[in-house]
Structures are given as structure tokens and as C-alpha cells.
Amino acid sequence: GNSVTQMEGPVTLSEEAFLTINCTYTATGYPSLFWYVQYPGEGLQLLLKATKADDKGSNKGFEATYRKETTSFHLEKGSVQVSDSAVYFCAPKWNGNQFYFGTGTSLTVIP
Amino acid sequence: DTGVSQDPRHKITKRGQNVTFRCDPISEHNRLYWYRQTLGQGPEFLTYFQNEAQLEKSRLLSDRFSAERPKGSFSTLEIQRTEQGDSAMYLCASSLHPLGGSTDTQYFGPGTRLTVL
């Protein structure tokens, strides 16, 4: 069946460090791919998305590229800030109408 | 702010009691979704509506759970005879599904945290 595997956390980085959070999905068809973020005390927010192979989603300095060959959608940011501390969820969406959320990766950025 | 709102934000109940949660979606969004999120996990899909029609239900949605969206606007999720295993965050999301399209972005509410004692 459809599923997603996300890098486990927690992840702790110093400010201005490079961030990668890995996400892979099972290769049954071609889902749309999303990253959602949950800041402390807030609801889930869409961070970025990509709907077809080789598309790159970007927002707030974060990027992720839809890699059909490796069924991956890794999240990257070149220089993290303290305000990026949050939980990040990878969420493929196949032709149905439900997201398949990963378990989430908690990121803490220290000054 | 006209985002998705949920009420109540927190609910504590005793095992065996019934509870009802409400979700108000973004105005004019035709789709409304319910998810459940337990500690340390991602949200799990429960059900969704297109306008007032409930189009899909997860196997997670036992007979004790019922959801309605009677006028195609707000929705309620009721849990009857609550069990301790029902303790979780219940999330609502809404989206505007385009005609003939299949990809839409879901906007999430803040959630209702249920604790069953």
C-alpha cells in the first residue's frame, strides 16, 4: 500500500547550519508531494509542494525536489534560523483525497 | 483571520461519555477533512466531505465515530462511548477542490485535544 518514510528526529542544529530532512515514499503511482510544518503551539501549515517529477517546491528558504527515480522528496535549507524550530511532516498525496503523513521530524535550532 | 477554526480546543472526558467537536472551514472551501494525531505520530486520515456528502471513511473510523456536514459548511465529529485509546488531537482541514483537478492544498485548523480519563 501507499506509505511514507521520514527521517527520525529529533534534529538539533546550530544557527546557519545546513539542514536536510529525508523523505521517501512507496512507488505506487505518482503522488503529489507536500511538506507541512508545525510550529510550537500552532496548527499544521503548508511549507511547500511539488506535483510532478523534477518539480522543485520552495518557500522561506526551504527547498525540495520531486525525484521520481529515487521516490524521494528531501527537504533542505542552506542556513537555518532559530525561528525554524518546529516539527516537519512529509506528506504524499496519491490520486485519492487523503494525505499520508510521515511521523514528523522535530528540529531545534540553537543560537 | 478566516482560517479553519475548531471548537473546543481541549476536551477532557470520562470513559464512556460522548463528545462532539466542531470544525468551521475556510469560507467557500468545498472539501473538509478530519484527521487524528497521536503523540509522536503524523496525522492519520479519518474521513472527508465534499460539500455535504461524506465521500470517504478510513477503517480507523469505528462505528462509535460519526461525522456530519449538514449544510456543506461547518462539520461535527462525534465520538460515542469514548475509550482511553481515543485520546488524541483531532484535526480538521479544508480545501477548495478545483473542477476536473486532483491536487488541492489542505489548510489545517489548530485541532481539538481530547483526553479520555
Side-chain angles (χ1 to χ4, degrees):
Chain A
N2 300 330
S3 67
V4 55
T5 301
Q6 186 176 338
M7 185 174 91
E8 289 191 19
V11 174
T12 302
L13 294 173
S14 297
E15 206 165 22
E16 299 184 3
F18 184 85
L19 168 72
T20 299
I21 301 177
N22 290 338
C23 171
T24 57
Y25 59 92
T26 54
T28 52
Y30 303 104
S32 297
L33 299 171
F34 298 75
W35 277 99
Y36 276 82
V37 59
Q38 190 167 31
Y39 297 103
E42 299 185 17
L44 283 164
Q45 301 175 23
L46 176 67
L47 180 60
L48 53 83
K49 68 179 182 181
T51 57
K52 60 184 188 295
D54 300 325
D55 270 2
K56 178 186 285 187
S58 62
N59 186 27
K60 299 182 181 181
F62 290 88
E63 292 183 342
T65 301
Y66 192 138
R67 302 288 187 196
K68 186 176 69 173
E69 304 80 12
T70 54
T71 63
S72 64
F73 193 54
H74 304 322
L75 183 68
E76 297 182 335
K77 186 172 185 180
S79 176
V80 293
Q81 305 300 313
V82 172
S83 58
D84 294 327
S85 298
V87 181
Y88 293 83
F89 293 92
C90 181
K93 183 156 135 348
W94 278 268
N95 287 335
N97 298 289
Q98 57 174 290
F99 285 105
Y100 288 80
F101 283 89
T103 53
T105 302
S106 175
L107 170 66
T108 300
V109 180
I110 55 178
Chain B
D1 186 287
T2 56
V4 179
S5 61
Q6 293 187 245
D7 183 70
R9 295 291 302 275
H10 303 273
K11 179 70 177 179
I12 299 174
T13 190
K14 293 183 179 179
R15 190 177 53 183
Q17 298 294 304
N18 299 345
V19 295
T20 300
F21 310 140
R22 177 179 170 124
C23 171
D24 286 89
I26 293 172
S27 176
E28 298 176 359
H29 275 191
N30 53 0
R31 288 196 170 180
L32 187 148
Y33 303 78
W34 286 100
Y35 292 82
R36 181 175 68 186
Q37 185 178 18
T38 53
L39 199 62
Q41 300 297 316
E44 297 173 295
F45 171 81
L46 293 178
T47 187
Y48 92 95
F49 294 82
Q50 174 145 325
N51 300 313
E52 65 277 5
Q54 188 173 17
L55 296 187
E56 190 173 341
K57 293 196 290 186
S58 162
R59 280 171 286 184
L60 293 174
L61 211 66
S62 76
D63 291 344
R64 297 185 297 105
F65 289 69
S66 62
E68 295 182 343
R69 194 184 184 199
K71 297 181 180 179
S73 57
F74 73 92
S75 175
T76 57
L77 177 68
E78 181 183 18
I79 309 175
Q80 296 182 324
R81 306 181 302 282
T82 52
E83 302 172 357
Q84 288 183 325
D86 297 331
S87 296
M89 178 76 85
Y90 289 84
L91 298 172
C92 176
S94 71
S95 70
L96 181 61
H97 186 72
L99 286 174
S102 62
T103 301
D104 52 334
T105 298
Q106 296 181 19
Y107 297 86
F108 283 81
T112 294
R113 182 170 296 284
L114 173 66
T115 301
V116 181
L117 303 176

